[in-house]
Each structure stands twice: as structure tokens, then as C-alpha cells.
Amino acid sequence: MDNSQEAMVTLRGTDQVLRELSTSGSADSLVDLTNITKNEDVSVYELHIEDHTVAGLLYTEAGNRVTLLATSVFPEFRGKGLAGKLLRGVLDMLRTEGRTVTLTCPFATAFVHSHPEYADVVDPSFPGNAHSRRHGRH
């Protein structure tokens, strides 16, 4: 991992996750400027605004299943709903590819709980934290 990725803030606290989820709609003005890439060298889905990496989602792969490990956002881009935009894009991409996910990332778990339209992407045999309400909304 390069120094810029080490500076990302990992979303893991319940309050932090809920704050980010509550602002997930505010990234709409950035829709035309963002894109998501899969950086296989470091196993990170990356969200870019123009040519700047602003957020990342660490993953592992086992066959057709992708385990979502941790979501990170660079501090200067926090609070803009970009982590939610990244999760939405990755889950849409994986659904299109016919792949499933295992959730170990607390933010991804909370995101799926808040967006039940993504429940079909969660691997029924290996859901990870998908059934945990610990980090989701109650």
C-alpha cells in the first residue's frame, strides 16, 4: 500500500457509519465526476473524483464470492456520502457480474441493512455480518 492509501480513514464505529449513511445522498452533485475502478494489485475497489482517489473498499475473492473487508475515505472527502456511493457502485457491479458478497466490513453491513435492495447480492451460504444488526440502523 502506498502512503496515500495509509492516510485513509477506515469507517468502523457505529456513530461514524450512521453519519456517513445519513449523508449518502449528498454525493449526487459529483455523479458525473466519479468513477470506480478495481485495483487488483492491492485488492481495493477505488472511487475517483476526476483523477484523485478519494475512497477505497478492501476486498478478497474466493471463486465467485467477494468478501468486503473495510471501507476507507480520505479525511478531506469525509461527510460527502462518497463511501455510500462506492458501496452502491461496487454492489451494482458485482450483481451485474453475477457475483455474491460476504460482509465483514461494518460500513458495508450497515449499508446493506439500510438498502435492502442489495440483499440479493449477499451470499446466502457465507453472509458474514449481513445478519448482524450491531452496526446497522435499529
Side-chain angles (χ1 to χ4, degrees), residues 83-104:
K85 180 169 179 47
L86 174 61
L87 256 296
R88 184 180 312 281
V90 168
L91 291 170
D92 286 342
M93 185 183 325
L94 294 172
R95 177 188 282 144
T96 299
E97 295 171 356
R99 303 185 80 186
T100 61
V101 298
T102 296
L103 303 170
T104 62

Side-chain angles (χ1 to χ4, degrees), residues 52-130:
H52 300 285
T53 302
V54 298
L57 176 57
L58 186 64
Y59 70 90
T60 62
E61 295 178 296
N64 201 35
R65 183 169 40 90
V66 177
T67 301
L68 303 179
L69 302 171
T71 305
S72 298
V73 179
F74 283 106
E76 62 269 29
F77 296 102
R78 297 283 328 272
K80 298 179 185 342
L82 296 172
K85 180 169 179 47
L86 174 61
L87 256 296
R88 184 180 312 281
V90 168
L91 291 170
D92 286 342
M93 185 183 325
L94 294 172
R95 177 188 282 144
T96 299
E97 295 171 356
R99 303 185 80 186
T100 61
V101 298
T102 296
L103 303 170
T104 62
C105 168
F107 183 81
T109 302
F111 183 88
V112 170
H113 281 242
S114 297
H115 298 86
E117 65 271 23
Y118 289 108
D120 65 303
V121 185
V122 176
D123 190 299
S125 300
F126 301 98
N129 295 335

